[in-house]
Amino acid sequence: MKLYLPCLQCKLDGLNDTFVQMEFDESNTYKVECDNGHKNIIIVEQEHFEILYELGAMALLDSYTREAVSSFATSVERFHEYCIKVILNAMGVDEKTCTDTWKYVSRYSERQLGAFYFLYLSYFKRTPKNFHQTWSEFRNKVIHNGYIPKHDEARNYAKHVYDYIIETISELKETCESSMRKVAKRKNIPKTELAGYKPSFWSLPTMIDLQMGKVISPNSIFSNITFDEALERLKIKMETWYRK
């Protein structure tokens, strides 16, 4: 799956909107050179778990159910990583210390999950929802046992992942909004990548981002969007922002 990224310099120069087709990249950082010769480095602002969820939803719409479930499951894992970063920031832990400690658990998903549970308990003083336990059997059947889920099964899993992430984001926003903003700004480009390119930030309107928009604008028209509504909007975006 590919996405269309705008040339922001064309827009600044008053030219017609120019878009460049790019493959999704792990770093969320794209070197874009348009037909007018402008060179931009575009940093997509969305978090990794948002992009993973979006890819899973597109796979679901294309009826690739196993691939969809895999992306949704990984999205939850990366979402827990994001929550850990936000909560640690809210507790006063600096970014370097957080990064150095994360290396101890970076290859162990169960340890990451345990870290999330107890950080959540420590910060909110209540037991977190045990989403992983509820859906672990289904997830493991698909990812480890080669089970091919029916479309309704994959869609049901997608909805529960969506609702779980949105609910947890709402909880974070109540007490950690400033930390969410700080974590969102932690996107650095190596200086070696900047030669001849102008860096710019760009927001990709993903399914999850429609709800995360509440962090920026509590009165957003997307503030109460449901999973079904967000999925319908994605169908439109697959004809505009994305290409196979």
Side-chain angles (χ1 to χ4, degrees):
M1 185 62 68
K2 299 179 181 180
L3 71 159
Y4 274 95
L5 292 174
C7 175
L8 302 178
Q9 189 59 47
C10 282
K11 195 173 188 67
L12 289 173
D13 291 347
L15 303 174
N16 292 331
D17 289 341
T18 305
F19 290 84
V20 180
Q21 183 173 282
M22 305 289 292
E23 286 189 298
F24 273 98
D25 186 273
E26 172 73 12
S27 67
N28 262 6
T29 302
Y30 302 87
K31 284 184 176 180
V32 176
E33 184 169 355
C34 76
D35 292 339
N36 294 318
H38 299 136
K39 294 183 177 182
N40 297 273
I41 284 187
I42 295 182
I43 305 97
V44 174
E45 295 181 318
Q46 275 55 52
E47 298 294 333
H48 197 42
F49 72 87
E50 299 175 60
I51 301 298
L52 286 169
Y53 189 93
E54 190 88 338
L55 292 173
M58 287 189 279
L60 178 66
L61 290 173
D62 282 341
S63 298
Y64 297 109
T65 55
R66 289 200 76 251
E67 291 78 1
V69 169
S70 177
S71 289
F72 294 138
T74 309
S75 176
V76 173
E77 292 181 358
R78 298 285 61 78
F79 175 63
H80 288 150
E81 178 185 359
Y82 168 79
C83 292
I84 288 170
K85 292 178 180 178
V86 170
I87 293 173
L88 286 175
N89 182 274
M91 296 173 69
V93 179
D94 65 87
E95 181 181 359
K96 184 179 185 306
T97 302
C98 176
T99 300
D100 289 346
T101 306
W102 181 258
K103 294 176 183 177
Y104 297 156
V105 299
S106 62
R107 297 183 180 181
Y108 306 98
S109 59
E110 289 295 329
R111 294 181 186 180
Q112 295 169 21
L113 181 62
F116 165 73
Y117 281 158
F118 279 95
L119 268 176
Y120 183 102
L121 174 63
S122 176
Y123 190 79
F124 289 104
K125 312 302 181 188
R126 61 177 180 268
T127 303
K129 283 192 173 182
N130 197 350
F131 176 88
H132 178 77
Q133 187 64 35
T134 303
W135 288 94
S136 61
E137 182 178 349
F138 173 73
R139 171 193 177 278
N140 291 339
K141 277 176 62 178
V142 173
I143 295 177
H144 299 303
N145 298 340
Y147 177 69
I148 301 175
K150 294 180 179 179
H151 187 271
D152 285 349
E153 292 178 298
R155 184 187 177 98
N156 193 34
Y157 182 66
K159 182 181 183 304
H160 279 80
V161 170
Y162 180 90
D163 291 342
Y164 171 71
I165 290 177
I166 296 308
E167 181 178 345
T168 308
I169 286 173
S170 297
E171 291 176 332
L172 289 176
K173 182 182 179 297
E174 290 179 2
T175 57
C176 305
E177 183 171 358
S178 62
S179 292
M180 293 174 77
R181 294 178 186 275
K182 290 175 183 177
V183 169
K185 292 180 180 179
R186 293 178 179 177
K187 294 179 174 64
N188 300 314
I189 312 170
K191 291 182 178 179
T192 54
E193 298 287 326
L194 289 175
Y197 288 82
K198 183 177 180 180
S200 303
F201 286 88
W202 187 67
S203 182
L204 179 68
T206 63
M207 283 182 67
I208 296 294
D209 185 59
L210 296 180
Q211 290 285 353
M212 287 194 71
K214 291 191 294 183
V215 175
I216 306 301
S217 178
N219 297 318
S220 168
I221 60 172
F222 303 121
S223 60
N224 295 310
I225 218 166
T226 66
F227 166 77
D228 291 332
E229 291 169 335
L231 196 62
E232 286 300 313
R233 290 177 184 272
L234 177 60
K235 291 179 182 179
I236 298 173
K237 286 187 289 180
M238 288 178 71
E239 301 297 326
T240 54
W241 293 112
Y242 306 123
R243 290 291 186 277
K244 294 181 181 179

